[in-house]
Amino acid sequence: MTSSLDDMYREVILDHYRSPRGKKPLDKANLLSDGMNPSCGDELTLRAQIEGDIVAEVQVDCKGCAISVASASMLAEAVKGRTLNEVREIAQAVRKIVKGDEEAKLPDELEDIEALRGVRQFPVRVKCALLAWVTLLEGLDNHAQGKTGEGTSVSTEEKD
Ligand code: ZN
């Protein structure tokens, strides 16, 4: 990896960290999930409003390090307006990307998330980048099972 690519990744991550997306509180959410990353102390609450099979609104509240906050912000930007199936595919692709899978592909308009490819150089940060996405996958499972009134908790120690 060239240093200019590193710089670009750093810029994208810092931009999301400094002005995280998805902060607006939702009145009514029917997809809920909490996540934590014990190895770093990152905590995240995900709420979304699903209309039909579309993610109409999403709120992420992440208290943690720069990587976890930036990754959660990217998630908020990426999933809004998409179908549940698209969102699940994106979350699964991001998991592969963070773990260094060169083959994993995202839609072109989500190129910001490519910045997370940089974290594989820092193995202790991989779970920070994964937190939002495993929390989202848990929330999708909750929603699919009709658990729309309460969230469940997921830990990156169990799902990596
Ligand atoms: Zn972290």
Side-chain angles (χ1 to χ4, degrees):
M1 193 176 294
T2 67
S3 62
S4 63
L5 195 57
D6 271 351
D7 289 346
M8 193 190 76
Y9 284 167
R10 197 171 297 124
E11 276 307 305
V12 171
I13 286 170
L14 283 176
D15 177 59
H16 278 273
Y17 175 61
R18 287 180 185 134
S19 48
R21 285 55 149 181
K23 283 300 200 188
K24 198 176 113 207
L26 295 185
D27 300 337
K28 43 178 186 173
N30 53 5
L31 183 155
L32 303 133
S33 182
D34 292 324
M36 58 181 168
N37 177 27
S39 60
C40 179
D42 309 316
E43 293 179 356
L44 185 143
T45 299
L46 177 90
R47 306 175 80 224
Q49 189 179 324
I50 313 299
E51 291 174 3
D53 73 338
I54 303 286
V55 180
E57 296 288 344
V58 61
Q59 178 194 357
V60 281
D61 186 15
C62 183
K63 295 182 178 67
C65 67
I67 299 289
S68 64
V69 170
S71 185
S73 167
M74 289 174 186
L75 180 150
E77 199 168 61
V79 303
K80 194 174 162 182
R82 291 185 189 269
T83 67
L84 294 172
N85 280 341
E86 285 173 330
V87 166
R88 186 179 290 274
E89 279 174 20
I90 290 167
Q92 283 163 347
V94 173
R95 282 175 75 172
K96 291 182 185 162
I97 283 171
V98 170
K99 290 176 185 176
D101 184 341
E102 299 282 352
E103 305 292 313
K105 285 266 181 288
L106 287 167
D108 287 346
E109 68 274 19
L110 299 182
E111 63 184 357
D112 269 15
I113 299 175
E114 297 281 335
L116 294 178
R117 286 189 193 276
V119 304
R120 79 191 123 152
Q121 300 171 82
F122 310 98
V124 297
R125 291 280 169 236
V126 166
K127 286 179 177 174
C128 303
L130 282 177
L131 174 63
W133 304 91
V134 298
T135 306
L136 172 63
L137 286 166
E138 181 81 4
L140 289 170
D141 287 345
N142 289 341
H143 185 264
Q145 291 163 20
K147 291 187 224 162
T148 55
E150 57 187 288
T152 53
S153 275
V154 60
S155 166
T156 53
E157 297 300 312
E158 298 148 31
K159 300 211 174 185
D160 61 351

